[in-house]
Amino acid sequence: MSETVSTDLRELDALVVGAGFSGLYMLHRLRNTLGMSALVLEAADDVGGTWYWNRYPGARCDSESYFYSFSDRLSEDLLEEWTWSERFAGQPEILRYLQTVADRFDLRRDIRFRTTVTAASWDDDAGRWLVDTRDGERFAARFLVTAVGCLSTTNLPEFPGRDSFRGDSFHTGLWPHEGVDFTGKRVAVIGTGATGVQLIPEVAQEAAHVTVFQRTPNYDIAGGNHPVTPDFDRKIKDDYPQIWARTRETAFGFPYDVADRTALSVPEEERREIFEEAWAKGGFRLGTTFNDLLLDEDANETAAEFLRNKIRERVDDPEIAEMLAPKDHPFFTKRPPLENGYYETYNRDNVTLVDVNKSPIEAITPAGVRTADGEYEVDSIVYATGFDAMTGTLFKLGIRGRDGLTLAEKWAEGPRSYLGIATHGFPNLFMITGPQSPSVLSNMPVSIEQHVDWVAGCLRHLREQGVARIEPTREAEDGWVAHHDEVTATTLLPRANSWWVGANIPGKHRSLYPYVGGVGTYRGICDDVAAKGYEGFTLSRADVAAA
Ligand code: N01
């Protein structure tokens, strides 16, 4: 395949937006496997995506490092050579890993850094995408792949007076590279999701005082982080073929599956022991102890109460413990944070918890944060307020399809996709971990690899068949959306005001954005679509498309 460069328009086989896990692996497949001309456009000045931007204190992955990485699909040698230092690796180590991948596979030469995409329009006559950047550059490519991550557009709530604050403010998703010294400072932290829960214990050790503004308490699960021993590392490396095989078949992309038993089928004492055992192991295993925790309210309540009691055991002040113990939503209907010493942080003299559900934040003032109960004077504010997830960044790309409609317009009433990977009206567009795919309800690298490999297989098929255009049919898309909604309705997930359903962004359409049917099941569906010659897609040959 060819690449031609003219003075004002660079023509490629494929353009990829984003150089995190998805974009790096996509580029590797496009260029190194398929021999296509490909370019990645990346807003940052280095690779890493999420792990480039989220440098806040305590940032680490919540999946165990040994399976939060590329699998043998990328390189068996790299798996053997790379050794993680901690059970849950910190941000600097994961960023180093992604930089290593970029260097090892010589990816940087086809990544354009400091390049923000502002528009992408389908040119139906020429059968290509025209992509514009903030600096006025334009690129053309037959295929456009979004690899923008699911959590890459920050959510900064519009508190009245936000810009009047005299001190320093930070969003965790745009953390300064040089770090922040909170020594001796009075710090407000707004938000207690997975990010706040990682950050708060770290800042509390440094700051003079931390005031935490909590709107909804979460069911935080013990992380149980610890260094990786050489024995454990060797064992994992020896087991890798089985580990990866398991991650591809299980519900959440972890190498362990959900136990095949319901919570209430087990006597109370035995159930508690099962929870205790999972708790002691740490990480998301607690969510896999019974197969109906996400389906049945009574079953769910057993896990919820177990976790509330853990909070009560660890927090000295019973009133604060009750403030931290969630009662308004079932367990795992919001993403449970993993914590390492989070609850004990509230036993410190220099930490105050404020319930902004009871007395909401009314304004940010020059001196700090004002709630209905009074003003909290601080030197710094940390916004751990999350992201406009899954669609925020896709919409910002200004993607305009065949009929001139933007993706934001098409999805005004919620995402409509086929398999979460493509959408009718937008030919030759692939979305890595797009809405209505397992994405954020799974171990991300596993789902990323599955999508990238599926797209690469599809592009190979198109080339072999002389196909110039691929687009899902409206019927296939309607079918997928109906299936997605049907599976969603069997679960408790719609019950919570989570970012999974878009509830954190005022005005955002409420629906479950990721697909909850399970990683293994989903993979089977995608493979089946491919095996049937990309069933549900319209494939047009070059001569037909041009006619
Ligand atoms: O964001 P969040 P996050 N007034 O949206 C609160 C992933 N992650 O950055 O719950 C007051 O979860 C909001 O309150 P509420 C992971 O998938 C992964 O923490 O909406 N409060 C909540 O407490 C995670 O789920 C890792 O009522 C307001 C907080 O801000 C996702 O990223 C590590 C508010 C936002 O929590 C997002 O987590 C960390 C307002 N107006 C994160 N607006 C890894 O393991 C929002 N809040 C890789």
Side-chain angles (χ1 to χ4, degrees):
M1 297 208 181
S2 63
E3 174 188 328
T4 53
V5 182
S6 73
T7 45
D8 55 356
L9 188 63
R10 188 160 173 201
E11 297 250 3
L12 299 128
D13 292 323
L15 265 173
V16 179
V17 187
F21 265 97
S22 315
L24 292 177
Y25 188 45
M26 192 74 245
L27 176 60
H28 173 65
R29 281 281 172 251
L30 289 166
R31 195 195 67 193
N32 299 346
T33 307
L34 295 171
M36 295 171 78
S37 65
L39 183 70
V40 175
L41 304 179
E42 166 58 58
D45 61 12
D46 197 2
V47 300
T50 284
W51 300 104
Y52 173 92
W53 297 104
N54 287 269
R55 297 170 187 243
Y56 59 85
R60 64 179 64 257
C61 67
D62 283 348
S63 290
E64 287 163 68
S65 313
Y66 72 86
F67 56 85
Y68 189 84
S69 66
F70 291 112
S71 76
D72 50 357
R73 296 280 312 151
L74 177 67
S75 162
E76 287 183 14
D77 291 347
L78 182 59
L79 278 180
E80 179 58 36
E81 288 164 30
W82 186 269
T83 297
W84 294 102
S85 67
E86 290 179 277
R87 182 180 178 203
F88 298 94
Q91 173 271 334
E93 191 171 12
I94 304 172
L95 183 58
R96 257 197 324 277
Y97 169 75
L98 290 170
Q99 290 166 337
T100 302
V101 169
D103 293 336
R104 188 180 180 110
F105 297 95
D106 192 19
L107 299 175
R108 287 177 195 275
R109 68 183 157 92
D110 287 306
I111 304 175
R112 181 74 72 92
F113 294 107
R114 289 175 288 275
T115 304
T116 301
V117 171
T118 51
S121 311
W122 174 250
D123 172 357
D124 203 43
D125 293 335
R128 62 183 184 176
W129 283 95
L130 295 173
V131 174
D132 296 310
T133 72
R134 188 188 287 159
D135 293 339
E137 278 185 294
R138 171 166 272 203
F139 300 88
R142 294 198 300 117
F143 297 97
L144 177 63
V145 183
T146 61
V148 293
C150 295
L151 295 156
S152 42
T153 291
T154 52
N155 169 38
L156 193 55
E158 297 283 344
F159 296 119
R162 196 184 64 205
D163 297 335
S164 70
F165 180 57
R166 276 196 306 259
D168 298 322
S169 35
F170 311 93
H171 191 289
T172 50
L174 296 170
W175 202 258
H177 286 204
E178 63 281 12
V180 181
D181 183 3
F182 289 114
T183 311
K185 296 267 170 67
R186 297 163 304 167
V187 184
V189 180
I190 303 176
T192 55
T195 298
V197 165
Q198 290 185 336
L199 169 129
I200 288 161
E202 302 290 326
V203 176
Q205 288 178 40
E206 202 174 283
H209 197 92
V210 178
T211 308
V212 177
F213 295 85
Q214 169 192 273
R215 189 165 65 180
T216 313
N218 277 306
Y219 297 96
D220 304 349
I221 306 179
N225 191 29
H226 54 70
V228 169
T229 62
D231 283 355
F232 181 77
D233 180 56
R234 188 64 264 152
K235 183 175 164 3
I236 290 299
K237 285 176 175 167
D238 291 343
D239 286 352
Y240 258 140
Q242 297 84 301
I243 289 169
W244 294 124
R246 299 275 295 136
T247 61
R248 294 179 187 127
E249 293 311 320
T250 58
F252 298 107
F254 297 135
Y256 36 84
D257 208 351
V258 180
D260 188 19
R261 62 183 169 219
T262 61
L264 298 176
S265 67
V266 171
E268 190 178 343
E269 188 49 30
E270 189 181 333
R271 191 168 55 236
R272 209 182 50 76
E273 279 166 20
I274 290 169
F275 284 144
E276 284 291 356
E277 197 183 320
W279 173 266
K281 284 185 184 152
F284 291 122
R285 279 187 174 79
L286 198 101
T288 64
T289 44
F290 298 100
N291 62 11
D292 57 349
L293 295 180
L294 278 185
L295 308 176
D296 181 271
E297 209 170 324
D298 294 337
N300 188 288
E301 179 55 23
T302 63
E305 188 57 14
F306 174 83
L307 286 162
R308 286 184 209 115
N309 284 331
K310 284 287 173 203
I311 299 169
R312 290 169 185 135
E313 280 167 23
R314 292 167 62 194
V315 177
D316 295 344
D317 182 333
E319 231 175 272
I320 295 174
E322 286 315 310
M323 281 166 73
L324 289 165
K327 286 142 200 138
D328 71 336
H329 64 279
F331 166 60
F332 230 119
T333 54
K334 292 176 82 128
R335 154 74 146 75
L338 292 200
E339 57 85 23
N340 290 283
Y342 176 70
Y343 290 117
E344 285 77 6
T345 301
Y346 292 94
N347 298 334
R348 297 174 65 106
D349 292 338
N350 69 336
V351 177
T352 305
L353 181 64
V354 177
D355 181 352
V356 297
N357 195 31
K358 229 173 169 183
S359 34
I361 296 173
E362 290 181 341
I364 302 298
T365 66
V369 181
R370 196 180 73 224
T371 72
D373 281 351
E375 186 171 11
Y376 297 83
E377 290 193 9
V378 293
D379 304 306
S380 310
I381 300 177
V382 176
Y383 293 94
T385 45
F387 301 87
D388 182 355
M390 306 219 53
T391 52
T393 307
L394 284 177
F395 290 171
K396 282 202 306 203
L397 299 181
I399 301 172
R400 199 174 280 282
R402 188 163 39 74
D403 299 323
L405 208 63
T406 64
L407 193 61
E409 287 163 347
K410 176 177 172 183
W411 287 1
E413 297 301 313
R416 298 195 70 77
S417 77
Y418 182 41
L419 305 173
I421 209 166
T423 186
H424 178 71
F426 296 76
N428 293 9
L429 170 70
F430 297 104
M431 298 171 289
I432 304 303
T433 63
Q436 298 171 342
S437 75
S439 57
V440 294
L441 285 177
S442 71
N443 176 34
M444 287 301 288
V446 169
S447 287
I448 286 167
E449 275 192 358
Q450 185 257 334
H451 263 189
V452 168
D453 285 339
W454 191 92
V455 170
C458 177
L459 292 177
R460 185 192 295 278
H461 176 83
L462 301 187
R463 181 165 66 187
E464 285 167 1
Q465 301 298 315
V467 169
R469 292 183 195 196
I470 180 166
E471 181 185 341
T473 66
R474 194 183 292 281
E475 295 69 35
E477 180 170 291
D478 289 348
W480 182 252
V481 174
H483 167 69
H484 170 84
D485 291 349
E486 201 177 309
V487 178
T488 301
T490 64
T491 74
L492 302 172
L493 292 186
R495 295 270 301 278
N497 291 324
S498 67
W499 64 260
W500 285 341
V501 299
N504 63 329
I505 303 296
K508 187 164 175 171
H509 180 83
R510 189 179 176 114
S511 61
L512 184 68
Y513 283 70
Y515 173 66
V516 65
V519 165
T521 306
Y522 174 80
R523 175 185 299 271
I525 295 169
C526 292
D527 288 351
D528 196 46
V529 164
K532 290 177 177 157
Y534 296 89
E535 186 180 49
F537 287 92
T538 303
L539 275 54
S540 320
R541 293 179 58 82
D543 43 354
V544 177

